[in-house]
Amino acid sequence: YKEAVQVVRSLKNQYPRDFLFCLEEANLRKDAGEGMAAVGAYREIVADNAKPGYFAEARLELVYFGLGDALRGQRHYEEAAQAYEQAAWTPNAGPELKIRSLLAAGECHDLLGERQVAIKDYQGAINVGPNTSRADTARKRLRNAYKGT
């Protein structure tokens, strides 16, 4: 991962407005176990995207999902749930990402003891893709609160 991060950072320095290089650096940092560095990289993408015309085409749903994963890995469940929910409701987010995001958000809310909010997220995941294995997991979570793995 270290070498891959260096390569992507080099490309990102050459092409700072290339969304994919920025996203890939954040993803690599997350996958390498650099939780808070990944969180910072994802948040930097969100901040840069707020600048008019900075990225030609950003896929913020992927950024928010990665941010949710990175925050969840650091046990920042409240912020993770918010990021997952943003991923789910970002325009153009596909159904699979919506389902995954809402399921993960619900699990974070359960870990925080926010059962009613978790139920809402699980039901949202089921509504988006009722005939999926993740919807089956969401139904299971509706019956029994998620306690962690």
Side-chain angles (χ1 to χ4, degrees), residues 16-139:
R17 292 179 177 220
D18 187 298
F19 171 76
L20 290 177
F21 292 146
C22 297
L23 179 62
E24 193 55 33
E25 178 191 5
N27 287 338
L28 284 168
R29 289 185 176 282
K30 175 181 58 83
D31 294 345
E34 299 176 21
M36 291 314 290
V39 167
Y42 287 119
R43 286 182 172 157
E44 183 179 335
I45 296 169
V46 172
D48 285 342
N49 189 65
K51 301 171 189 171
Y54 191 86
F55 293 121
E57 190 175 328
R59 298 283 311 271
L60 283 185
E61 67 275 18
L62 300 175
V63 176
Y64 287 124
F65 186 81
L67 177 60
D69 277 352
L71 287 163
R72 185 176 183 173
Q74 299 299 303
R75 297 188 172 132
H76 294 238
Y77 299 123
E78 185 173 340
E79 292 174 278
Q82 291 171 1
Y84 286 131
E85 288 164 349
Q86 284 180 288
W89 303 118
T90 297
N92 301 322
E96 174 63 22
L97 186 64
K98 283 183 183 183
I99 296 165
R100 290 177 64 198
S101 297
L102 291 169
L103 179 59
E107 290 173 347
C108 288
H109 284 298
D110 263 342
L111 291 170
L112 291 165
E114 299 170 344
R115 185 69 180 142
Q116 293 307 310
V117 182
I119 288 170
K120 181 181 165 201
D121 284 334
Y122 297 141
Q123 192 59 58
I126 294 165
N127 292 344
V128 172
N131 299 319
T132 63
S133 62
R134 292 190 199 282
D136 292 340
T137 301
R139 286 185 193 90

